[in-house]
Amino acid sequence: MSNHSYQGVIHRYKKYLPVSDRTPIVTLLEGNTPLIFSPKISNILGKNFRVYLKYEGLNPTGSFKDRGMTVAVSKAKEEGQCAIVCASTGNTSASASAYAARAGIKCIVVIPSGAIALGKLAQALIHNAKVIAIDGNFDDALSIVRELSLNYPVRLVNSLNPHRIEGQKTAAFEVVDTLGEAPLFHSLPVGNAGNITAYWKGYKEYYSYSKINRLPIMLGFQAKGASPIVKGKPIKKPKTIATAIRIGNPASWQMAVKAKEESGGIIDAVTDKEIIYAYKFLSREEGIFVEPASAASVAGLFKIRKEGYFDRFIKDFDKIVIVCTLTGHGLKDPQLAVSKVKSPKIIKPTIKEVAKETRL
Ligand code: F0G
């Protein structure tokens, strides 16, 4: 397929999605994101490793949410809805606002005040969503919008809406369509746990259609201060620098546990320090700028490799293929990026001074 004819994930994967010829397709040509081989991460893990990065930051609004949103908003429109609502740590609201604008319907987003990255807030505002900031966290926002959608004529587009999961599972299809097989492992960050649910659903469907002959092992990573699934209990005041996954009571908790158990995988936690290390590693060493939450998938790989998790697989497999989802673009959170590096020094505007500073 030439890029020219690419028409978005609904068009590409129609037969696996709950759409019909009557569905008005609302698309910004999401999906079709690159699967980038990472020689450096592969090398760090070991000589038999092949690590690929599914760079979801290249979706139209800069995160993986667009895959689910194209389906959720198309279905809302098909069903005659005039408004959608979501709670968000930022990316869902950015995506919902853009697709609602495209569809010509109203969008309401409820966000934890002061806790979403600037780029994401800018997106919701510029796409003309009604942005409500609450003096509470994501979990509070989600329970409000759930109730709201039950009592008012507005469609919930958080991943509790099954159409979101349907759209997001297309990322698993793309991985398989690109690699020609399922990876041995699939690593991704876990927040509200919709994405791990969606990938697992996608892989299982491809398996049931005999597109793959084995399923991957799922590796999910939460941030340590926001790791309810790892701890086995909700966290009242989740804390992490990775605001996108600062969630204490994930909506798809049970589904994430199911993905872990059915695949024989793990859900583990990484510290903010480990997240920032991976965040900088990706940008400095591979030229890939992601947001901190996205780096949790790579941080997790580094961590479990050191702990010896892969040792038994190294014995059993001569090639270990890992796909790591990089969920969002680094430009979403420019303030964090500049806070993690040295600011440029200001010098006199002369060739001599510049040459001296750059040690040319
Ligand atoms: N990475 C990024 C960049 C995210 O924005 C999110 C979730 C996740 C990972 C975790 O995915 O929730 O499916 O487990 N962001 C949501 C939001 C909560 O509101 O934008 P998940």
Side-chain angles (χ1 to χ4, degrees):
M1 188 183 8
S2 79
N3 245 352
H4 205 63
S5 64
Y6 184 70
Q7 291 175 55
V9 297
I10 294 183
H11 182 261
R12 182 165 182 193
Y13 292 112
K14 208 177 219 149
K15 65 177 176 182
Y16 304 105
L17 295 170
V19 293
S20 71
D21 293 341
R22 289 184 312 279
T23 312
I25 297 179
V26 182
T27 180
L28 292 165
L29 307 190
E30 60 295 313
N32 203 22
T33 55
L35 190 65
I36 307 170
F37 176 63
S38 170
K40 291 184 184 141
I41 298 173
S42 303
N43 267 342
I44 287 175
L45 296 192
K47 81 171 184 342
N48 297 334
F49 287 81
R50 301 269 181 288
V51 178
Y52 294 88
L53 306 169
K54 183 70 172 157
Y55 194 16
E56 290 287 280
L58 293 191
N59 274 295
T61 77
S63 87
F64 70 98
K65 307 284 181 181
D66 297 341
R67 294 180 183 276
M69 210 54 77
T70 182
V71 179
V73 174
S74 297
K75 292 302 284 185
K77 194 145 167 112
E78 180 179 351
E79 290 155 21
Q81 289 279 343
C82 298
I84 59 172
V85 66
C86 67
S88 185
T89 56
N91 281 322
T92 300
S93 57
S95 184
S97 321
Y99 281 80
R102 183 83 179 174
I105 60 181
K106 186 178 165 105
C107 180
I108 302 158
V109 308
V110 182
I111 54 166
S113 170
I116 80 168
L118 187 63
K120 303 173 188 179
L121 179 62
Q123 288 178 287
L125 293 170
I126 203 76
H127 288 306
N128 204 28
K130 179 76 193 162
V131 178
I132 314 281
I134 59 160
D135 184 14
N137 62 27
F138 169 82
D139 303 291
D140 302 323
L142 186 59
S143 62
I144 291 169
V145 298
R146 275 171 103 156
E147 278 297 304
L148 192 80
S149 69
L150 293 175
N151 294 298
Y152 293 87
V154 60
R155 173 64 50 84
L156 183 71
V157 294
N158 279 104
S159 54
L160 287 159
N161 177 333
H163 296 138
R164 281 277 313 282
I165 303 292
E166 289 299 310
Q168 279 173 214
K169 76 185 179 189
T170 61
F173 296 167
E174 285 181 17
V175 167
V176 171
D177 291 342
T178 307
L179 288 178
E181 59 180 1
L184 187 54
F185 295 96
H186 193 114
S187 175
L188 76 173
V190 174
N192 211 25
N195 213 24
I196 190 167
T197 302
Y199 270 97
W200 187 235
K201 186 168 199 289
Y203 282 123
K204 283 206 296 189
E205 283 183 18
Y206 255 25
Y207 184 76
S208 74
Y209 292 117
S210 300
K211 291 254 190 186
I212 47 178
N213 49 30
R214 59 164 176 77
L215 289 161
I217 295 168
M218 302 301 289
L219 309 172
F221 295 99
Q222 301 195 291
K224 187 116 188 252
S227 53
I229 301 177
V230 179
K231 294 216 163 78
K233 57 173 199 290
I235 292 177
K236 281 229 164 61
K237 292 203 164 96
K239 283 194 199 78
T240 168
I241 198 164
T243 52
I245 52 172
R246 192 185 283 164
I247 294 175
N249 192 9
S252 300
W253 186 321
Q254 297 315 323
M255 299 304 283
V257 170
K258 207 168 155 223
K260 169 194 127 166
E261 282 171 1
E262 289 180 358
S263 74
I266 56 169
I267 295 184
D268 201 350
V270 284
T271 63
D272 280 4
K273 204 170 153 207
E274 289 167 325
I275 289 174
I276 293 302
Y277 178 84
Y279 170 73
K280 286 187 167 177
F281 185 95
L282 282 163
S283 47
R284 284 183 188 173
E285 303 292 330
E286 296 289 19
I288 300 176
F289 190 23
V290 300
E291 60 174 290
S294 309
S297 58
V298 172
L301 288 185
F302 288 155
K303 179 193 169 190
I304 63 174
R305 174 70 175 108
K306 266 195 228 133
E307 291 172 349
Y309 174 82
F310 292 112
D311 293 357
R312 71 188 169 95
F313 298 98
I314 295 171
K315 282 194 210 104
D316 294 346
F317 292 87
D318 49 9
K319 193 176 75 169
I320 298 176
V321 177
I322 305 178
V323 169
C324 225
T325 301
L326 302 178
T327 47
H329 203 289
L331 287 171
K332 294 266 187 181
D333 200 348
Q335 285 175 314
L336 183 97
V338 293
S339 77
K340 292 290 160 198
V341 289
K342 259 203 268 157
S343 298
K345 189 171 156 193
I346 299 166
I347 57 167
K348 290 209 181 75
T350 66
I351 296 169
K352 211 172 129 202
E353 286 291 308
V354 172
K356 197 172 122 206
E357 271 309 311
T358 52
R359 298 194 187 92
L360 281 173

